[in-house]
Amino acid sequence: MVLTIVSCIFFPKILVAQQDSIRLDLVIVRGFVPEKFMSGLKIQKIDSATLNQFRFQNISDLLSLNTPIAFKNYGPGQLNTASFRGTSANHTAVLWNGLNINSPILGQTDFSTIPVAGFDELSVQYGSAASIVGSDAVGGSILLGSVPTKQTLNVMFGRQQESFHNYQTQFTARYASSLSDKWNFSGKTSVYDGQMNNDFPYAERKQYTMLPSNSFQRGLVQDLFFNSKNDHQISAHVWLTRNRLTLTPDDKAGRELTLTEAYRTMLRYNYKLLTFRTSWVRDIIDYARGDYSQLDHAVTDKFSNRVERDFEFKHLQIKAGGEITHYRAQVAGYDAGLLTENRGDLFLLSRLQATSRLVISANLRQAFVTGYNPPFTPSLGVEYFLIQKSDQFLKLKGSYGRSYRVPTLNERYWKEMGNPDIRPESGWNKEIGLEQSAVLTNNHSISASLTAYHNRVKDWTYWNPSKAYHVENLQQVLARGVEVQSGWKYQIAAWKAGANVSYALSKSSQEKAYDAYSADIIGKQLVFVPIHSGNVNAFVQYKNARLTGQVQTISKRYSTFDNSQFLDGYTLSNLLAEYTFVSSIIKMRFQGQINNLANTFYLNVRNNAMPGRSFALSLILSYNSPPTAE
Amino acid sequence: MKKQLSRLAAFTALSFFAWSCNQSDPAPKGDYIQGVFVVNEGNFSQNNGAISFFTREQTTAQTDIYAAANGTALKGGVQGYVAAGDIGILLVDNSAAGLDKVEIVNSNTFKTTASIGTPDIENPREVVFGPNNKAYVSCWGTNADYSYKTGYIAVIDLISNKVIKKIDIASGPENLVFNNGKLFVGTYSFGGGKTLTVINTSTDAVDKSLTFTSVPTPIGIDANGKLWVNDGIQAIKINPDTYVSEAALTMGADATKSARNFAFSADRKTIFFVLSYDDANYVSHGETYKFGVNDAQINVTTPFIKRLFSGLAVDPSQGLLYAGVTPSYAQAGYAVRYRADGTLVDSVKVNVAPTGFFFK
């Protein structure tokens, strides 16, 4: 019972949950991200049905239809950065199995390089969680994770054909077996290949150019889990990605190549309450224009070692730990040759179950960076059940915490424009929210949440366009907003239906004057952050056939800091139909998808047109070994 | 009733008058017949350049008249605008390859009449009208590696609206001055070229190359018919027929400062310019100075206006100096007006990065 309640608290699945599709793993692996210390913060777990629907798409497609995260997209398959709760692209931490995989030189993730096929589970954590996650977690965090399988053998092959000669191919094998009396083993090997030729049948839409581009994406994921009966757990994770983007590929003199590669590896060892993690991540970016014989080459290596120890008392849980990270960077744009740097982190996380209705989390972190020590980072989170019954709950929660961001390597070392004296950003995030879930009858259940936040970030770095883009701690930004989400689910006999509606208001503006003309900027909405955004997802399912509608709407986005120019708001809708044939060992899923159903015209941040209506057909074939007696 | 009738009569008479005016008056029609056109370069990566417009009496501008007239933006940075008669020529530079263009518009309505794209036009820089319904556009070419080796002058025939010839110019052709059958072509400072190319506009072939000590920028022809060329920290007066240098005036002794944004007064007897430098913190500083075309030296101790501008031009009909202010490439700039004595008139908010003006 306690476990059930606790898991409810940890994972508010109600927001998006499809109960039928939640994986209930028997092998309990200690979470990669200590979500249980995030009480008071909002966490949205994306259910596996949604992940499956998007498995041939990009993570930004999924997030923009299911969360209020706004994306700044340069075009199909091109650079795509996130603005979470009115913050900049540098303010969203992306964690892969608990490790921040934002590029150390850019301090952000290009979401066009992350396909949904690259991970098993996805949670979105709203608001600052820097005391738990560390640097970059200012607007929120995106948590990608690997999940061990319990199936002896599952082999999956998938293929999607899309409009514009775009293709996706995937292969995944999951396997598990017992190695000895003591040791169990499970693993996953997955490869994916995306060929986006973007052969649009039109050169422009409404006189706006469709910029020719193509992108080719490849990746390999390897997870291995070893579990012993006497509480030893070892896991190894590898994720290799390669993304080759070419703009105007047919123009030999003017074509522009961006080749992004990442080698992500991790080894984790856990014994009872003690966990060690070691990881190595290499990020490579190659860029060239016209002549590809000389590429602008940037390589960064990040070696990280982390140790943490849990302490468990009757009502109190504590996690204490530390992390030390070594960076090596060789970047064509830096004056210095090879750059090396060490960073350290110490943290103490706690969670107190004060009463059956009240949970309090207090977390402390201090990061150390040579010459750039970020501020001491505390946070306090509280959750209180106003109603706690078997068929419903109403929870009040709040959080107050500090956030920080260590300047990126580019901000410090990029020749001429970088600034070695730049300071870390520092912010305070406050939020309060209500969360409700109720089973109305045996057939209906509803869920709702309401959150308001106020996040002020000081020393916000700015590549100052009035100083030849020299980077400075120029801005002080206040982001505040309200998020409303509600869901409904219905199930009777072979019928299922559900809907989720969400709306976000985000006001994010510069507060401080810094030159004679900044008066035109103060109080104005930050660029490319829509004030209003919303989405609707609804499905109806009969046996193995499912029809899903997805709608995303965003208000206009300003493109200049004084709000004198803007891109119009737009609404996009998609329609998906799927059918799954199921036999005892074989599953076949057909999915047909119409993207941009209404053929909406909209622009990307380059002022080029985005594609109109398009179609995709996919087939997933999967083989499951016959269930063995347990 | 009678009142109504008389009103009706008056209205009819007025309409007839208006109609007859219309009939007898061949004056151009459009919203942009007289006024100030501001070239807003825009922020390169955002492709958001625009032409702003205001009449001389107005203090607020229409910030993007091309979009207003055509229902679609220019989709690129704007590098230049000139007009003669009904023909207006816009240079559009997109951040992606293959999307640059010359847009030819009706100068009174700003509706587009023709568009010339790549490969004829690649990285256009400046445009001037020449003789025989021709226009000349300096282009860097594809210049993918920024070595400025692919430049040329595109010769546009304004009857067919086609590029009829490309004249190769190395080192990044930039500023153009047309005078009496000759086109003077300067180069871009990062292009490194030290020659001023003279093109014979009846043959559209290179006639002569004049060598300078630094990167030459042709400024224009003064009231005495002399060509002025900026050569590094000097302003040089040249006889445009014999190419003999008649004067070399030094714009101060500080070689770290660079002179730019040259503009002639309405009587073409005074040249205004901005002398600027970037400090160690990448902040641009500068002032605006002036000198007479018959002066023996340039006074750079007392600025004409103690400000830095991103563009300068003098309205030939009123004589006011128009100066562009670019607070940054990420917000709208201003057109600031000054009288001939350097006193401020007013300022008009325009669009992103105002760098040039055209008066009609």
Side-chain angles (χ1 to χ4, degrees), chain A residues 197-225:
Chain A
N197 292 299
N198 297 327
D199 289 338
F200 303 115
Y202 33 83
E204 48 183 44
R205 294 186 73 205
K206 287 198 177 175
Q207 301 178 53
Y208 281 83
T209 308
M210 298 292 303
L211 184 69
S213 72
N214 59 39
S215 59
F216 304 108
Q217 190 168 64
R218 251 186 265 163
L220 178 138
V221 181
Q222 177 68 61
D223 293 313
L224 295 171
F225 296 88

Side-chain angles (χ1 to χ4, degrees), chain B residues 28-321:
Chain B
K29 279 181 261 178
D31 294 333
Y32 313 110
I33 293 164
Q34 274 197 332
V36 181
F37 298 77
V38 184
V39 175
N40 302 282
E41 192 176 299
N43 188 16
F44 184 58
S45 64
Q46 287 184 288
N47 299 313
N48 60 350
I51 300 290
S52 303
F53 174 83
F54 50 94
T55 61
R56 288 173 175 82
E57 310 78 54
Q58 286 176 324
T59 51
T60 53
Q62 299 173 56
T63 54
D64 188 348
I65 58 169
Y66 182 89
N70 296 284
T72 180
L74 279 164
K75 293 158 294 214
V78 182
Q79 289 297 337
Y81 175 67
V82 292
D86 286 349
I87 299 174
I89 305 176
L90 279 154
L91 306 185
V92 181
D93 183 15
N94 193 287
S95 60
L99 298 176
D100 299 345
K101 61 186 175 180
V102 162
E103 198 71 50
I104 300 173
V105 296
N106 178 307
S107 66
N108 302 311
T109 64
F110 242 70
K111 287 201 189 308
T112 182
T113 52
S115 184
I116 308 171
T118 54
D120 292 325
I121 302 294
E122 302 254 23
N123 291 307
R125 303 298 302 166
E126 195 168 303
V127 54
V128 292
F129 282 97
N132 308 325
N133 294 308
K134 288 190 290 189
Y136 294 83
V137 178
S138 54
C139 295
W140 284 350
T142 51
N143 195 35
D145 57 357
Y146 298 99
S147 65
Y148 302 94
K149 287 172 185 153
T150 53
Y152 58 90
I153 301 294
V155 185
I156 298 174
D157 171 27
L158 293 169
I159 306 291
S160 64
N161 289 328
K162 287 198 162 65
V163 170
I164 50 171
K165 188 167 186 182
K166 283 183 176 182
I167 309 161
D168 286 345
I169 306 280
S171 309
E174 186 84 0
N175 279 38
L176 303 176
V177 168
F178 171 70
N179 180 54
N180 192 25
K182 288 176 180 174
L183 180 71
F184 298 93
V185 182
T187 51
Y188 179 60
S189 55
F190 288 105
K194 290 180 179 170
T195 54
L196 183 75
T197 308
V198 186
I199 290 170
N200 179 334
T201 53
S202 49
T203 60
D204 287 333
V206 174
D207 206 35
K208 196 156 181 69
S209 290
L210 309 173
T211 305
F212 288 79
T213 51
S214 186
V215 175
T217 299
I219 297 167
I221 306 292
D222 69 14
N224 308 321
K226 306 296 181 188
L227 172 71
W228 285 86
V229 175
N230 168 228
D231 177 17
I233 204 81
Q234 287 193 313
I236 298 175
K237 180 156 72 174
I238 295 170
N239 182 319
D241 303 314
T242 62
Y243 309 125
V244 171
S245 163
E246 298 183 354
L249 308 184
T250 302
M251 295 176 285
D254 190 345
T256 62
K257 292 186 178 179
S258 59
R260 61 187 73 185
N261 298 327
F262 296 91
F264 272 102
S265 62
D267 62 7
R268 304 194 79 78
K269 288 180 178 166
T270 305
I271 296 174
F272 300 92
F273 67 97
V274 173
L275 198 57
S276 67
Y277 68 97
D278 291 347
D279 69 15
N281 294 317
Y282 305 91
V283 185
S284 293
H285 300 275
E287 293 90 26
T288 301
Y289 299 87
K290 65 170 187 174
F291 63 92
V293 295
N294 297 317
D295 287 358
Q297 60 183 41
I298 301 174
N299 174 359
V300 287
T301 46
T302 328
F304 174 60
I305 302 166
K306 278 186 155 173
R307 281 188 78 172
L308 168 75
F309 298 112
S310 52
L312 278 184
V314 176
D315 176 5
S317 71
Q318 284 187 327
L320 293 182
L321 178 71

Side-chain angles (χ1 to χ4, degrees), chain A residues 173-446:
Chain A
R174 292 169 200 275
Y175 31 85
S177 80
S178 166
L179 294 175
S180 67
D181 292 349
K182 280 186 183 168
W183 286 90
N184 281 321
F185 154 78
S186 75
K188 169 185 146 179
T189 305
S190 173
V191 288
Y192 56 82
D193 179 83
Q195 309 271 330
M196 276 81 82
N197 292 299
N198 297 327
D199 289 338
F200 303 115
Y202 33 83
E204 48 183 44
R205 294 186 73 205
K206 287 198 177 175
Q207 301 178 53
Y208 281 83
T209 308
M210 298 292 303
L211 184 69
S213 72
N214 59 39
S215 59
F216 304 108
Q217 190 168 64
R218 251 186 265 163
L220 178 138
V221 181
Q222 177 68 61
D223 293 313
L224 295 171
F225 296 88
F226 299 90
N227 289 297
S228 90
K229 292 206 169 84
N230 50 11
D231 286 331
H232 293 278
Q233 296 176 342
I234 300 168
S235 65
H237 311 276
V238 175
W239 186 10
L240 312 179
T241 67
R242 179 187 161 89
N243 200 76
R244 185 187 172 95
L245 164 71
T246 310
L247 301 186
T248 60
D250 296 333
D251 180 341
K252 290 284 176 283
R255 62 188 178 174
E256 199 176 325
L257 170 77
T258 311
L259 182 64
T260 312
E261 291 177 294
Y263 302 76
R264 306 181 180 115
T265 64
M266 179 186 293
L267 195 61
R268 204 160 171 269
Y269 169 70
N270 173 242
Y271 177 63
K272 290 185 175 165
L273 297 171
L274 189 64
T275 307
F276 293 99
R277 185 186 79 193
T278 181
S279 61
W280 167 58
V281 175
R282 169 170 283 188
D283 286 294
I284 302 173
I285 300 175
D286 285 303
Y287 174 85
R289 221 179 153 147
D291 174 16
Y292 291 174
S293 63
Q294 278 189 318
L295 300 171
D296 272 356
H297 189 60
V299 190
T300 45
D301 285 305
K302 177 177 164 183
F303 303 91
S304 179
N305 289 294
R306 177 182 170 115
V307 58
E308 58 190 46
R309 170 81 158 86
D310 285 27
F311 301 89
E312 291 183 353
F313 307 97
K314 193 178 176 194
H315 296 297
L316 178 67
Q317 291 172 301
I318 289 175
K319 185 189 281 289
E323 185 163 355
I324 186 148
T325 308
H326 177 67
Y327 289 85
R328 296 170 74 81
Q330 183 103 44
V331 180
Y334 296 175
D335 281 329
L338 177 72
L339 272 179
T340 61
E341 174 175 298
N342 294 317
R343 296 187 196 172
D345 271 277
L346 288 174
F347 55 87
L348 185 70
L349 315 179
S350 71
R351 173 195 170 87
L352 176 69
Q353 184 82 45
T355 71
S356 64
R357 286 173 179 268
L358 179 66
V359 176
I360 301 169
S361 266
N363 305 312
L364 309 171
R365 174 181 289 260
Q366 176 68 57
F368 306 93
V369 185
T370 324
Y372 297 90
N373 279 355
F376 175 65
T377 312
S379 74
L380 185 70
V382 177
E383 296 188 357
Y384 182 75
F385 280 91
L386 298 166
I387 302 171
Q388 193 176 29
K389 293 181 184 166
S390 61
D391 60 347
Q392 65 163 304
F393 74 77
L394 175 63
K395 189 162 67 173
L396 176 69
K397 53 192 198 176
S399 166
Y400 187 43
R402 193 167 204 171
S403 67
Y404 69 95
R405 188 177 72 83
V406 178
T408 68
L409 298 181
N410 278 1
E411 284 171 331
R412 286 150 55 188
Y413 300 112
W414 195 266
K415 61 184 163 205
E416 289 173 8
M417 292 187 286
N419 178 359
D421 300 322
I422 197 137
R423 295 181 299 278
E425 293 176 359
S426 159
W428 285 97
N429 178 65
K430 308 178 251 214
E431 61 184 278
I432 188 158
L434 278 170
E435 196 179 308
Q436 186 182 26
S437 173
V439 178
L440 297 182
T441 67
N442 283 338
N443 301 328
H444 292 273
S445 63
I446 55 158

Side-chain angles (χ1 to χ4, degrees), chain A residues 206-209 211 248 251 253-254 289-290 416 462 465-470 517 520-521 528 559-562 564-565 605-607, chain B residues 43 45-48 70 72-73 75 95-99 142 144 146 281-283 307 325 327-332 334 349 351-352:
Chain A
K206 287 198 177 175
Q207 301 178 53
Y208 281 83
T209 308
L211 184 69
T248 60
D251 180 341
R289 221 179 153 147
E416 289 173 8
Y462 185 54
S466 54
K467 290 192 185 172
Y469 292 95
H470 189 60
Y517 284 92
D520 285 351
I521 285 174
F528 300 113
S559 53
T560 54
F561 283 87
D562 60 349
S564 62
Q565 294 187 356
V605 302
R606 271 186 215 274
N607 242 342
Chain B
N43 188 16
S45 64
Q46 287 184 288
N47 299 313
N48 60 350
N70 296 284
T72 180
K75 293 158 294 214
S95 60
L99 298 176
T142 51
Y146 298 99
N281 294 317
Y282 305 91
V283 185
R307 281 188 78 172
V325 172
S328 86
Y329 285 100
Q331 70 188 88
Y334 290 84
K349 192 173 190 172
N351 216 313
V352 176

Side-chain angles (χ1 to χ4, degrees), chain A residues 1-13 24 351:
Chain A
M1 181 61 199
V2 171
L3 254 180
T4 324
I5 291 169
V6 166
S7 78
C8 273
I9 297 164
F10 294 169
F11 309 112
K13 288 164 183 153
L24 292 169
R351 173 195 170 87

